[in-house]
Amino acid sequence: MVKTHDYVLVVIRNLQETFDDGYLKTLRQHGYRIELVPAGQDPIPTMEARPPIAACFQYDYPDLQGLADLREAKKRVSSVPLLMITQAHSEHLAVWAFRSRVWDYFVQPIDMPRLLEVFASLRSVRLPGSASVASNMDPDSRKALDVQNAIPPEARLRCSGPGGEQAQLDRAMSFLDKNLHRKIAQAEVAESCGLSTFQFSRLFKRLTGVTFQEYLLHRRIAEAMRLLANPKVSITDVCFTVGFRDLSYFTRVFQRYVGQPPSRYRLSLVDKQQEPQPHQHKIEFDPLAATAAQLSLAPLKS
C-alpha cells in the first residue's frame, strides 16, 4: 500500500498563462508544501507514485480536456481527494464537479478559512491513515471530514413542498437553464410546471416582479456576460449558446442592456484583469433566488 505524502498537488488547467495563486501563498504560510503540475503534463503518475494529501485542479475557464483530466484522475487514483478551484462560476459546473466526486469546489475569490479547514481535516485523516480511500475510512474519520463538507445551512431555507408555488418556480428556472440555447415558448414552460399559460404568467410575475419574457431576456444576457469572460469562446458561439439566432440582433440587445457591444465588453474584462482594482464590481445573477427586489428591469451594467 502506497502511503500518503505530506504535500498538496496543484494541477494547472488554465486556458490563460497567468492565474491567481494567492491561495497557494496562504497554504504555504500555514505549512503546506505545494507541487505544481503545469498545463499539458499528466498528473496521474505523480499521484500514483506519491499520493498527496489532496490534488487541486486549478481552472480559470474549464474546457472539455481540462474537465476530462479531472475525471480520469478520479477514476485512476480514487484514493486521492480532489478539489476543484475555478474562476468561472456556474451552477451546472458545480453540479458536474460533485457528480464527478470532487471532495470540494471553490470559486475565486476563494473562501480561505473554509479552504484551510478542509485541508486541515484532510491532512489529519490522510496522513495517519496512509492511502486508505476516503469511502473506506473508519466512521470517526469520515465523520470529521463530512463536517467540513456539509451542505450549507442557508441552502435549506427555501425548501418547499413538491406542489408549492416556489417549487413550481424552481422547476421553471431549471427548465430555462437546461434549454437556454434554443427558442423557449412560455406555454411549454408552463406545461412543465403543470400550469396553464395564464396561471403560469400570473404566478411568475407575482413571485419575480417581472414578466416571463423580460426575465428570459435578462437571463440570456447575464449568461452571455459570463461566457464572454472566457477568451476562448467566440462571440458568435456565445450568441447561439444563449439562444439568439442572429448575431446582429444579439449585439443590439446586449448593447441595450449592458451599455456596450459584446466585443467591447470583452475588452473591458481584459483591461480589468491587467489593471488590478481594489474594489471590482461583480454581477451576481441567481435565477433560482430571483425576487422582485433582486431582479430589476434597469439595464445591466458591466
Side-chain angles (χ1 to χ4, degrees):
M1 202 180 328
V2 182
K3 75 171 188 176
T4 300
H5 294 253
D6 192 6
Y7 77 102
V8 174
L9 188 68
V10 177
V11 183
I12 306 300
R13 288 296 179 264
N14 288 5
L15 299 180
Q16 299 178 332
E17 293 183 2
T18 60
F19 70 97
D20 184 357
D21 61 352
Y23 75 98
L24 298 182
K25 296 177 182 178
T26 302
L27 288 175
R28 290 190 179 101
Q29 291 172 355
H30 284 76
Y32 292 93
R33 187 165 62 87
I34 308 294
E35 292 188 19
L36 301 180
V37 177
Q41 182 176 322
D42 187 358
I44 294 177
T46 300
M47 295 170 64
E48 290 177 332
R50 294 184 302 108
I53 298 171
C56 294
F57 276 72
Q58 160 78 44
Y59 302 90
D60 48 9
Y61 307 103
D63 61 355
L64 290 177
Q65 184 57 55
L67 296 179
D69 290 346
L70 183 150
R71 178 176 284 174
E72 183 65 16
K74 186 61 184 177
K75 177 181 177 181
R76 296 267 300 277
V77 197
S78 59
S79 61
V80 176
L82 302 184
L83 280 72
M84 183 172 178
I85 297 176
T86 176
Q87 185 175 328
H89 174 68
S90 163
E91 180 183 354
H92 294 303
L93 182 60
V95 170
W96 179 93
F98 286 113
R99 284 179 176 173
S100 299
R101 299 176 60 209
V102 302
W103 183 254
D104 217 326
Y105 175 88
F106 293 85
V107 177
Q108 300 274 15
I110 295 174
D111 180 350
M112 285 307 305
R114 185 167 74 86
L115 183 68
L116 291 172
E117 288 179 357
V118 169
F119 273 110
S121 295
L122 288 171
R123 177 186 251 177
S124 66
V125 173
R126 292 270 296 156
L127 290 179
S130 68
S132 59
V133 180
S135 60
N136 293 329
M137 292 177 181
D138 62 87
D140 291 338
S141 298
R142 182 73 217 187
K143 182 178 180 180
L145 287 179
D146 283 343
V147 168
Q148 305 302 333
N149 202 36
I151 297 175
E154 61 269 22
R156 304 185 179 92
L157 297 181
R158 295 175 61 253
C159 291
S160 58
E165 291 184 340
Q166 186 61 56
Q168 291 174 318
L169 180 63
D170 288 347
R171 284 199 294 273
M173 299 303 187
S174 296
F175 185 94
L176 293 182
D177 284 344
K178 292 177 181 178
N179 297 278
L180 202 62
H181 62 281
R182 66 175 180 85
K183 182 178 180 179
I184 301 176
Q186 181 171 318
E188 62 177 331
V189 184
E191 184 179 356
S192 73
C193 300
L195 300 172
S196 69
T197 303
F198 177 73
Q199 290 172 326
F200 175 76
S201 179
R202 291 187 60 186
L203 173 71
F204 197 95
K205 180 65 180 293
R206 180 160 52 82
L207 294 184
T208 67
V210 296
T211 68
F212 171 78
Q213 292 298 336
E214 290 166 341
Y215 174 85
L216 178 58
L217 193 55
H218 273 75
R219 181 69 187 91
R220 293 192 195 279
I221 296 300
E223 179 66 4
M225 294 172 72
R226 185 185 73 81
L227 293 174
L228 285 168
N230 184 345
K232 300 293 184 180
V233 180
S234 72
I235 293 177
T236 300
D237 285 342
V238 171
C239 167
F240 283 90
T241 298
V242 301
F244 289 88
R245 288 295 172 264
D246 181 88
L247 183 59
S248 61
Y249 176 67
F250 165 67
T251 300
R252 291 197 303 272
V253 174
F254 190 94
Q255 181 162 0
R256 186 168 79 243
Y257 280 89
V258 182
Q260 53 188 340
S263 57
R264 190 175 301 170
Y265 174 76
R266 170 169 278 174
L267 289 175
S268 72
L269 296 180
V270 174
D271 292 340
K272 289 179 182 179
Q273 292 175 353
Q274 293 176 347
E275 299 179 6
Q277 301 175 7
H279 301 290
Q280 291 186 340
H281 176 64
K282 181 180 179 183
I283 293 179
E284 297 291 346
F285 194 92
D286 182 2
L288 297 183
T291 63
Q294 293 170 318
L295 186 58
S296 171
L297 288 183
L300 299 172
K301 300 297 183 182
S302 60

